Amino acid sequence: MVAFGKKLRESQIQEWQGYYLDYKLMKKKLNRYTQQIEVGTQNRHLVLKDFSILLDSEIEKIVMFLLQQQGVLASKLLNLGEQYDSVLQQVDGAKIPELQEAYRIVGRDLLRILSFVEMNAIGLRKILKKFDKRFGYRFTDYYVKTRANHPYSQLRQVCKQVGVGAVVGAISRNLADLQDFQQHCGNYISIYDQPAFSHPDPVLDSIRAAVNRLSNSTSFLHYLGKHALLMGDDLQSPSEDHADDGRYHFMSLLLNLANTFLYMVNTYIIVPTADNYSMTLGAAATVCGVVIGSMAVAQVFSSVYFSAWSNRSYMRPLVFSSIILLVGNTLYALAYDLNSISVLLIGRLFCGLGSARAVNRRYISDCVPLKLRMQASAGFVSAGALGMACGPALACLLQTNFKIYKLTFNEDTLPGWIMALAWLIYLLWLSISFKEPSRVTTENIVPRESNSGKIVNISVENGPTQPLLSNSKAKQKDGDGDTDCDDAEEDPVEIQKPVNSIVSAYRLLTPSVKVQLYIYFMLKYAMEIVLAESSVITGYYFIWSTSSVAIFLACLGLTVLPVNVVVGSYISNMFEERQVLLASEILVCIGILLSFHVLIPYSVPQYVSSALITFVSAEVLEGVNLSLLSRVMSSRLSRGTYNGGLLSTEAGTLARVIADGTITLAGFWGESKLLNTTLIPALFICVSSIVATCFTYNSLY
C-alpha cells in the first residue's frame, strides 16, 4: 500500500509539480514544532502563527496557479467559440468532428485541473487533522473559520470548485450542439431548456464524476446513498474495484436489501396495536414502550456480534437472523393465547437479536463494486424507508378476528403470524439463491510499499489526542526519525488495520464526530417518541382507532423518500450541509415545542402538524448528519467490526431504547401526563445538540 505522501508525489502532473501543496515540508514543520516545544524553545502561540502563515502561503500558491490555468482554459474556449461560429455560418460539416475533438481536449485539460485541486484539498485536510492530533489543539476549527468566512477567502477556492461550472457548461453545450448539428441539422433544443436532452460524452461523464468527488455531490442518488454511511477512501484504486467485481452477485445483494426491508416492517408493524395488545394481556397501555423498545434493547447487542460475524461469513448470519426472527414473531403471536406478557416481550427480544442490518451494510461495503456502491447504498436506505412505511400500513389491513384450532388470529396477533411467514419464505429464498463471496477482504491484506498498486486513505485520527506528543513517540508514529526522509506516513499496517475494540473506536472520535453521533442520537430519540407513543396519545386525546393510527404512521413513513428527493436535489445544492444541519435541528426543536399540551385543549391539527414538523425535520437532519459524519469520521472506521456504521447504529438504537423506556416510566404518572413528560427530555436533548453543533460548526467542511 502507498502512503498519502508517496501517492501525492506519484499522482502529481510533472510540469505542475512546484504548485502542489508541499506536504513533505509541512510534516517536517510539525516534527520541528514538537521538538522545539519539548525542549522549551518554542511556545504554542508562535507555532500556531507560523503554521498559519505557511498554510496561507501554500494555499495562495495553489489558488494563483489554479486561476491561471482556468484563464488558459477560458482563452481556449473563446478561440473555439470563434471557430464554432465560423463552422455554423459556412455549414461546413467536415470540420465538426475536428471541432468536437478540440472541445474534448479542453475537457481533458479540465480533468487535469480537477485532479490537481482534489489532491491538494485532500492533502490540506489531512495536514490540518494531523496538526490537531499532534498538539491536541482545535487548529482546524480556528483556521477554517477565519479563512473560509473571510470575503477574500482563498481556502474556499481549494475546498470547493469555483469557476469550474462555467467551463463544464461551455464544453457540454457546444459538444451537444455540434452533435445535433451533425445528426439533425440543428433541430436540437438547448441543454438549458431541456437538460435531459443533453448528449452523453465520455469526457463529460469523467468531468462530472471528478466534480462530484470534489464537491461531495448532492444529487438525490448520492445524497441518499450517504445515509448508509459506507465511507470510501479519498482516493480509489482500480484494483480494488476489480476485486469487488469478482465477489459481486446481484441476487445476493437483492437478498440483503430484502432483509433490510423485512426487518423494518417487523419493527414498525406492531406500533399501532402494541398498547391494545399490552392491555389485553393485563398490562398498562404505556407498557407498549417496553414492548416496542425491547427489540431495540436486543439490537444493541446483536449489532456487535453480527458485525463481528460478517468478518467470516455473510450467509450464515443471515440464516441465523431469519431463524431467530421466525421464532421471535411466532412467540409474539402465541403470547395472546398463552395470556403471557412475558412471552410477548421474549418474542420481541428475539426479533431484536435477529437484527442483521450490520451484515446488510457490510455486504454492500465489501462485495459491491465501487461503480455500483452508491446505487446499492441508496437501495439500502430506500428499502429501510419503504419498510418503515409498509409496517403500519400492513397493520391497518389486519383488522380481522378468527380462530384456527386453538390459535387466535386478530389485529394483535396477525402482525406476528404474517412476519413469521414472511421470514420463513425469506429463509427458503436465501438458502436457494444466496452466493457466499470469497473472504478476501481489504482489512486482512498486509500493506506493502511496493508493487501492490493499492491506494491508501491515511487517517490522521489513529489514536487518542494528546496535549503534546513526545519526540520519540512522534518518530515512532510518523516514521520521521530522519528529517531528510520524513515524507513517510504513519505505519501503513497500523493505520489501515481496523479497530478491534469499542475503546479503540472511541479514541478515534474527534469532537466533531462525537457531536454528529449525539445529533443522530437526538433525532432518533425524537422520532421514536413521536412514533412509539402515537397510539396511546391519539387514543387518549382523540379516541383514534387502530386503523387511524396505522394510516397516520404510514403517512409519516411515506414522507421519507419525497423529503430526501427535495433535500438531495435542491436544498443541499443551495445551502451548505452544515447550514441545513443546524436549521433542521432548530425545526425539530420547534416541532417538539409545538407538541406540548399547555392550557388550551389539545387538538388533532396541533398534534398532526407538530408531529409532522418533528418527524420531517428529523428525516432531513438524518440525511445531512450521516453525510457529514461520513466526511469527518476516521477512515479506519470504514471497515472491520467496530465501524462507523455500527457506531451510528448503536447511537440510534440506544436512543430508541431510552425513548421507549421514558414512555413506560412516564406511564406511572398516568396517560394524562404522558405527552408532556416524554417531551421534556426530548426538548433538553435537542437544545443541547444545537449548542454542541454551534461549538463545532466551523469544523464541518
Side-chain angles (χ1 to χ4, degrees):
M1 288 188 178
V2 184
F4 176 74
K6 185 175 181 181
K7 184 61 189 176
L8 179 60
R9 290 197 307 271
E10 293 175 350
S11 302
Q12 287 178 353
I13 300 169
Q14 291 304 312
E15 60 267 32
W16 297 355
Q17 194 169 13
Y19 300 100
Y20 281 85
L21 185 78
D22 198 335
Y23 194 73
K24 180 176 180 179
L25 172 64
M26 292 186 172
K27 286 196 62 185
K28 285 183 177 180
K29 282 280 189 179
L30 292 186
N31 292 331
R32 191 172 302 136
Y33 295 148
T34 302
Q35 296 168 2
Q36 291 172 346
I37 290 177
E38 190 175 67
V39 299
T41 60
Q42 186 67 278
N43 64 55
R44 178 164 297 193
H45 177 74
L46 293 177
V47 165
L48 296 176
K49 181 180 178 181
D50 186 57
F51 198 64
S52 295
I53 292 173
L54 176 60
L55 280 173
D56 289 341
S57 176
E58 288 293 307
I59 291 172
E60 184 175 284
K61 173 186 68 177
I62 295 167
V63 170
M64 292 301 107
F65 179 73
L66 177 60
L67 293 175
Q68 181 187 66
Q69 292 302 311
Q70 287 179 343
V72 171
L73 286 189
S75 178
K76 290 181 178 179
L77 286 172
L78 282 173
N79 292 333
L80 288 176
E82 294 175 359
Q83 297 178 38
Y84 174 85
D85 292 338
S86 175
V87 168
L88 292 186
Q89 289 173 4
Q90 298 175 12
V91 197
D92 189 355
K95 292 186 178 180
I96 289 180
E98 180 182 343
L99 193 54
Q100 286 176 317
E101 184 58 29
Y103 274 110
R104 292 189 184 101
I105 291 173
V106 175
R108 295 185 191 105
D109 290 339
L110 176 60
L111 280 172
R112 284 156 52 93
I113 292 178
L114 291 174
S115 173
F116 171 81
V117 176
E118 183 179 14
M119 292 300 297
N120 282 296
I122 293 171
L124 179 63
R125 186 167 66 249
K126 288 181 180 294
I127 203 66
L128 284 170
K129 289 183 179 180
K130 181 179 282 294
F131 188 100
D132 287 352
K133 172 183 174 293
R134 182 73 64 85
F135 298 103
Y137 187 81
R138 290 171 59 188
F139 175 74
T140 299
D141 193 4
Y142 155 77
Y143 191 81
V144 173
K145 177 181 179 181
T146 54
R147 270 64 176 176
N149 295 332
H150 195 277
Y152 306 134
S153 172
Q154 293 180 338
L155 180 63
R156 292 183 66 85
Q157 302 274 338
V158 179
C159 296
K160 303 285 185 182
Q161 76 280 8
V162 178
V164 169
V167 178
V168 175
I171 297 172
S172 301
R173 182 181 67 83
N174 287 292
L175 278 176
D177 287 352
L178 286 169
Q179 185 172 347
D180 174 70
F181 186 83
Q182 188 178 36
Q183 295 177 354
H184 307 294
C185 300
N187 293 323
Y188 177 72
I189 298 176
S190 169
I191 63 170
Y192 298 112
D193 297 320
Q194 295 288 341
F197 287 178
S198 177
H199 297 282
D201 189 281
V203 171
L204 294 178
D205 290 340
S206 299
I207 291 173
R208 291 191 187 99
V211 170
N212 287 343
R213 287 197 307 271
L214 192 57
S215 63
N216 291 292
S217 172
T218 52
S219 68
F220 168 62
L221 182 63
H222 286 74
Y223 176 82
L224 192 64
K226 290 176 187 176
H227 289 35
L229 206 63
L230 301 175
M231 296 169 288
D233 293 342
D234 287 322
L235 303 170
Q236 295 289 347
S237 168
S239 60
E240 275 190 297
D241 207 29
H242 293 324
D244 287 336
D245 278 333
R247 310 176 69 211
Y248 173 64
H249 182 236
F250 174 75
M251 186 56 69
S252 300
L253 173 61
L254 190 61
L255 281 161
N256 269 275
L257 299 181
N259 185 281
T260 298
F261 170 76
L262 287 176
Y263 186 78
M264 293 303 290
V265 172
N266 210 149
T267 301
Y268 290 100
I269 193 173
I270 70 150
V271 173
T273 57
D275 59 333
N276 184 64
Y277 204 172
S278 300
M279 289 190 293
T280 302
L281 299 180
T286 52
V287 174
C288 69
V290 174
V291 175
I292 297 170
S294 55
M295 191 170 179
V297 171
Q299 190 178 346
V300 171
F301 304 98
S302 66
S303 296
V304 177
Y305 68 72
F306 271 115
S307 183
W309 200 349
S310 63
N311 289 325
R312 301 185 299 275
S313 173
Y314 298 104
M315 182 171 181
R316 286 195 292 272
L318 288 177
V319 169
F320 177 77
S321 164
S322 303
I323 294 173
I324 291 295
L325 282 157
L326 173 61
V327 173
N329 282 289
T330 302
L331 290 174
Y332 181 86
L334 288 174
Y336 186 93
D337 292 304
L338 296 175
N339 194 30
S340 172
I341 191 72
S342 299
V343 174
L344 182 74
L345 293 174
I346 292 172
R348 286 295 286 179
L349 283 170
F350 265 74
C351 290
L353 291 174
S355 171
R357 285 172 64 80
V359 181
N360 306 143
R361 181 186 280 110
R362 185 73 176 274
Y363 183 87
I364 296 173
S365 177
D366 290 350
C367 303
V368 176
L370 183 63
K371 60 179 177 286
L372 299 175
R373 198 168 299 161
M374 188 59 69
Q375 291 93 321
S377 301
F380 173 79
V381 176
S382 300
L386 188 60
M388 183 180 181
C390 286
L394 187 58
C396 179
L397 301 176
L398 303 178
Q399 306 301 304
T400 186
N401 192 342
F402 61 93
K403 296 192 73 168
I404 298 179
Y405 296 107
K406 295 182 179 181
L407 298 179
T408 303
F409 297 85
N410 58 24
E411 63 179 16
D412 296 328
T413 62
L414 275 172
W417 292 121
I418 291 293
M419 292 313 304
L421 177 62
W423 285 112
L424 177 61
I425 295 172
Y426 176 81
L427 181 60
L428 296 174
W429 183 23
L430 182 72
S431 304
I432 296 170
S433 303
F434 191 87
K435 178 182 177 182
E436 183 75 75
S438 58
R439 299 304 306 171
V440 181
T441 56
T442 54
E443 62 257 31
N444 294 327
I445 299 174
V446 178
R448 292 174 293 175
E449 286 295 329
S450 63
N451 300 330
S452 65
K454 176 95 172 154
I455 301 173
V456 176
N457 178 24
I458 297 298
S459 167
V460 299
E461 302 164 331
N462 63 325
T465 300
Q466 301 293 338
L468 284 174
L469 191 64
S470 69
N471 189 36
S472 59
K473 289 182 180 179
K475 290 178 182 179
Q476 289 175 358
K477 282 188 175 288
D478 290 90
D480 294 325
D482 184 356
T483 56
D484 291 334
C485 304
D486 84 336
D487 193 45
E489 281 286 354
E490 290 89 347
D491 181 9
V493 176
E494 193 63 31
I495 286 298
Q496 289 300 302
K497 184 179 179 182
V499 292
N500 54 13
S501 70
I502 195 69
V503 175
S504 300
Y506 180 80
R507 288 173 178 171
L508 291 173
L509 304 184
T510 61
S512 297
V513 176
K514 291 176 183 177
V515 169
Q516 294 306 306
L517 287 174
Y518 182 66
I519 292 172
Y520 191 71
F521 174 91
M522 180 274 290
L523 69 91
K524 286 297 183 182
Y525 184 94
M527 292 175 77
E528 189 69 10
I529 288 292
V530 171
L531 296 174
E533 70 178 13
S534 59
S535 57
V536 180
I537 296 299
T538 56
Y540 177 79
Y541 286 103
F542 318 127
I543 319 178
W544 279 9
S545 65
T546 299
S547 298
S548 299
V549 178
I551 293 171
F552 171 68
L553 294 178
C555 290
L556 281 182
L558 287 173
T559 63
V560 174
L561 290 179
V563 167
N564 281 315
V565 169
V566 173
V567 177
S569 300
Y570 301 103
I571 295 180
S572 289
N573 288 320
M574 295 185 289
F575 303 98
E576 294 182 9
E577 286 185 330
R578 58 181 181 173
Q579 293 174 324
V580 180
L581 180 88
L582 187 57
S584 300
E585 287 181 89
I586 294 172
L587 284 174
V588 171
C589 187
I590 292 172
I592 293 172
L593 286 171
L594 292 175
S595 299
F596 278 92
H597 179 203
V598 181
L599 300 178
I600 61 175
Y602 205 57
S603 63
V604 172
Q606 180 185 352
Y607 174 75
V608 171
S609 60
S610 60
L612 189 64
I613 292 172
T614 303
F615 190 82
V616 171
S617 301
E619 288 174 20
V620 176
L621 181 59
E622 181 175 4
V624 292
N625 168 249
L626 293 179
S627 178
L628 287 169
L629 188 59
S630 68
R631 294 215 302 269
V632 300
M633 189 173 282
S634 167
S635 62
R636 284 189 67 196
L637 294 173
S638 63
R639 294 186 183 274
T641 301
Y642 299 93
N643 53 66
L646 175 65
L647 294 180
S648 63
T649 299
E650 292 291 88
T653 304
L654 188 61
R656 291 173 53 208
V657 170
I658 296 175
D660 292 326
T662 303
I663 293 171
T664 301
L665 290 175
F668 287 108
W669 284 279
E671 293 183 21
S672 62
K673 297 182 180 179
L674 176 66
L675 181 65
N676 288 350
T677 305
T678 54
L679 289 176
I680 289 173
L683 181 62
F684 172 78
I685 295 171
C686 185
V687 171
S688 61
S689 75
I690 293 174
V691 174
T693 300
C694 292
F695 276 105
T696 58
Y697 184 78
N698 291 298
S699 63
L700 304 175
Y701 76 102

